[in-house]
Amino acid sequence: GESLPLNVSDVLEKLQKRLKQAQEWIMCLSEIVPSSDDNIVWLKRFRNALEDSDSSTQLTNLLSEGSRIPVDMNCMKLLQIEIDARNWSIKAKPWIPENLESSDETGVPQKRGKIDDVEEHLDRASTLRDRLWF
């Protein structure tokens, strides 16, 4: 952009600022979850980090910050997919037959899911899978 015969310094400055924001965000992410060139490895690392409540909170907050940065970051997409998959699993767990008769933390027995709810939840799983680009 600096070698163009037009004056695009305002636009270039904004782009450089956004790129710097994205790089700083990725550095913060790497402090919690080491980066990887392999998307599957990164998803597994996110999954493991989300098991820890402190890391889970940090990653959720970091994702919220990252979503406001107007730069396309694959690591942010992967984190969003893994958080969505985790939430999907948490909601689906009570519907697994072995969990139907057990009680939750409050002592209330788990209920069977309505067929429409289960079908909708399975559709969400397909949507999650479709968001993976590799």
Side-chain angles (χ1 to χ4, degrees):
E2 295 170 349
S3 63
L4 289 174
L6 303 169
N7 184 4
V8 291
S9 59
D10 291 343
V11 175
L12 182 60
E13 190 176 306
K14 286 179 185 177
L15 290 173
Q16 288 172 334
K17 181 181 175 189
R18 290 175 178 161
L19 179 61
K20 187 174 192 255
Q21 284 178 314
Q23 290 169 335
E24 289 172 355
W25 185 88
I26 291 170
M27 284 179 21
C28 290
L29 177 66
S30 295
E31 291 174 8
I32 303 168
V33 178
S35 63
S36 173
D37 291 332
D38 184 339
N39 291 327
I40 300 294
V41 170
W42 226 346
L43 282 171
K44 288 179 182 178
R45 288 178 181 172
F46 286 143
R47 185 172 300 139
N48 289 336
L50 288 168
E51 294 295 322
D52 176 63
S53 63
D54 290 338
S55 294
S56 179
T57 301
Q58 289 177 317
L59 288 172
T60 302
N61 291 338
L62 197 57
L63 179 63
S64 177
E65 291 173 23
S67 66
R68 292 187 293 268
I69 300 172
V71 175
D72 190 30
M73 297 180 282
N74 284 343
C75 55
M76 188 179 71
K77 290 178 188 177
L78 290 172
L79 177 57
Q80 181 67 64
I81 290 168
E82 191 56 44
I83 287 174
D84 290 348
R86 182 173 185 263
N87 291 337
W88 184 94
S89 297
I90 289 169
K91 185 172 180 184
K93 191 172 184 172
W95 296 338
I96 298 172
E98 63 195 34
N99 295 329
L100 288 176
E101 301 304 321
S102 64
S103 299
D104 64 10
E105 299 85 35
T106 62
V108 177
Q110 299 292 328
K111 296 180 182 177
R112 293 179 187 257
K114 294 179 184 174
I115 192 72
D116 291 340
D117 293 339
V118 174
E119 286 175 347
E120 180 182 332
H121 205 63
L122 289 173
D123 288 342
R124 286 190 195 131
S126 294
T127 303
L128 274 171
R129 204 173 22 252
D130 292 343
R131 287 170 43 199
L132 293 172
W133 61 92
F134 50 91

